Amino acid sequence: MGNTRNKKLLFLGLSLSFLALVGYGLYSWQQSHADTSRQISYTTFIQKVSAGNIAKVRIVGDEITAHAKNGEKFNLFLPAGAYLGDLLIAKKVDFSSTPPSGGPNWFEIGFLVAVGIFLFVILRRFTGMGRSRARVVDYSESTTRFSDVAGAEEAKAELLDTVEFLKDPEKFSTLGGKMPTGVLLVGPPGTGKTLIARAVAGEADVPFFSISGSEFVEMYVGVGASRVRDLFAQAKKAAPCIVFIDEIDAVGRKRDAAAGGGASDERDQTLNQLLVEMDGFEVNSGIVVLAATNRPEILDAALLRSGRFDRQVTVGSPDIRGREAILKVHAKNVPLHDAVDLLVIARGTPGFSGADLANVVNEAAILAARSNKGVVEMIDFDLAKDKVLMGAEKKSMVLSDKLKLSTAYHEAGHVLVAKLTPDADPVHKVTIIPRGRAMGVTVQIPEDDIYCYTKEMLVAHLKVLMGGRAAEELIYSTTTTGAGNDLARATDTARRMVSEWGMSRAFGPVAFGHNENTDNGGKKGFSDVTAREMDNEIRSIVSGCYQGVVTLLQENMDALERLTRELVVKETLDAGEIDSILGFGDDNSSDPVSAAA
Ligand code: ADP
Ligand code: ZN
């Protein structure tokens, strides 16, 4: 019960701080922009002053508010080094200037919003606030067929007998066969696990019940377990049928012995109920439970025991043929220009999941429709590919010039390190247009599908991640919060190099596994001393890379400045533009699509 109470308190506390932040942000925004003034360029402003249209000017820090004689108001920033005094005096403009008020500016508001978003996300994670509770169990007749699932031939083949069984459970019983009741679909997000589960139901023409593991986690004690009970009660009435549990790792993760070992936790009760239900099936009762996860290794061993999820079907990321097939399925009803070659698109989208590819086709069709074309052309696919790669653009978010410049230095740092490090992925594109929570993005695409990384490739990856922060530190002698995600990812990579892939000099080729990955009742697979040594090793890898990157950038300050200047002007640079600015080509290769924010 304590758990629920804590959640409530946490929810309350976080809600309050979130509201306070949003309130403060709005208030300060209102304070500084309560008027109806318009943003104009410095040049326009000078023209207006020269023309004698301006009556009054107020300068606070580098922010100018100009009052025109006709009552209009304008806002702009004073460019660094510009001096206005003489002109204003000559034109008899009433003006005054004060140092920065210390009041909020865009940078601050941006930061507040970021903190707000961060808190909001945490809030959602811990409490499930804002999610619908009503839709926990989904029931539907599935019209999906195996022909809708492209690629994934092995997975489909492995599930054929499940379809046969569902079509006629009696037949299996009389023949003495025993069907597995639980099948685990294992693979990364967006690879079509849900789609396949639906297709099994569709092919067998049986009802499809679905439920998501993550929705249980946020429920109050007892609710999750009773939902599971209801679900299976319904399923039994509808049998033969499919029960699909998405994200089963959210409820089915190894029970935590360290947390007191009691079954008091909501998740444990839900998991227990699930185990009880699966054990309670009569032989060949006609219910097949399909569950999806990307992390079978963290599942509680009890779930994988015979009679439960004792069968695994892998649904991998699509290779080039798979990608072409997926594109074909989704382009089935889209009119394509004769020159469109889906194989070429497939070749250019390594690392894309089925969901990403479905998105590419959809975006391409939207782009073509927007420009009133009757057919979708190759160029639409190219643009769509970039869009999906980089996430939705947020052009509307205004950047202050200062923030824009520091973002440009940050991204230029990533790009330059990528260009100067032999084993780094080729840079595809860089932008300082904000996307999601990132102020800018550097996108690298490998030339091929790569299934295995060398230590050099990983080190190169680490260095590219750190290029952003290193550039900021070199230029401003300080760092911003913008590099937080880069560092987290770099540290994570370094940790895995040491603990999973045996790539550290100090430890040699040993795999330690992580805490949740062990099957010995929650104990770590290594001692505390080892853990400390591992931390040291990780720290030394990270800081070693960082020092290397700082030196590399120092030696190429020129190139960094040039890239930054162009980025500020053009905001987005593609591979060709980057090469011509730097005056060299790119001849290195890679790991799956990675984007450093
Ligand atoms: P997962 O459950 O593995 O996260 P989904 O089944 O939800 O992935 O896939 C999301 C969408 O992506 C599907 O609805 C479909 O449009 C598309 N998709 C994914 N994989 C494939 C595939 N192999 N063939 C066709 N479409 C696919
Ligand atoms: Zn970055």
Short mmCIF file of all heavy atoms in Angstrom, two decimals, residues 41 102 207 295 325 568:
data_model
loop_
_atom_site.label_atom_id
_atom_site.label_comp_id
_atom_site.label_asym_id
_atom_site.label_seq_id
_atom_site.Cartn_x
_atom_site.Cartn_y
_atom_site.Cartn_z
N SER A 41 13.68 43.40 -38.45
CA SER A 41 15.12 43.21 -38.57
C SER A 41 15.83 44.52 -38.22
O SER A 41 15.24 45.59 -38.20
CB SER A 41 15.49 42.80 -39.98
OG SER A 41 15.41 43.91 -40.83
N GLY A 102 17.70 41.48 -15.82
CA GLY A 102 17.78 40.28 -15.00
C GLY A 102 16.48 39.53 -15.08
O GLY A 102 16.32 38.47 -14.53
N PRO A 207 -11.55 -13.97 -32.62
CA PRO A 207 -11.46 -12.66 -31.96
C PRO A 207 -10.05 -12.36 -31.45
O PRO A 207 -9.29 -13.28 -31.15
CB PRO A 207 -12.43 -12.79 -30.78
CG PRO A 207 -13.33 -13.91 -31.13
CD PRO A 207 -12.53 -14.85 -31.99
N ARG A 295 12.86 -7.28 -24.94
CA ARG A 295 13.88 -7.64 -23.97
C ARG A 295 13.53 -8.93 -23.23
O ARG A 295 13.25 -8.92 -22.03
CB ARG A 295 14.04 -6.50 -22.96
CG ARG A 295 14.20 -5.15 -23.64
CD ARG A 295 14.27 -4.04 -22.62
NE ARG A 295 15.47 -4.12 -21.81
CZ ARG A 295 15.64 -3.42 -20.70
NH1 ARG A 295 14.70 -2.63 -20.25
NH2 ARG A 295 16.77 -3.52 -20.02
N ALA A 325 9.95 -5.07 -49.47
CA ALA A 325 8.64 -5.72 -49.40
C ALA A 325 7.66 -4.88 -48.57
O ALA A 325 6.48 -4.74 -48.93
CB ALA A 325 8.78 -7.11 -48.80
N VAL A 568 24.19 28.87 -39.11
CA VAL A 568 23.36 29.96 -38.63
C VAL A 568 22.58 30.56 -39.81
O VAL A 568 21.39 30.85 -39.70
CB VAL A 568 24.21 31.05 -37.94
CG1 VAL A 568 23.38 32.30 -37.68
CG2 VAL A 568 24.77 30.51 -36.64
#
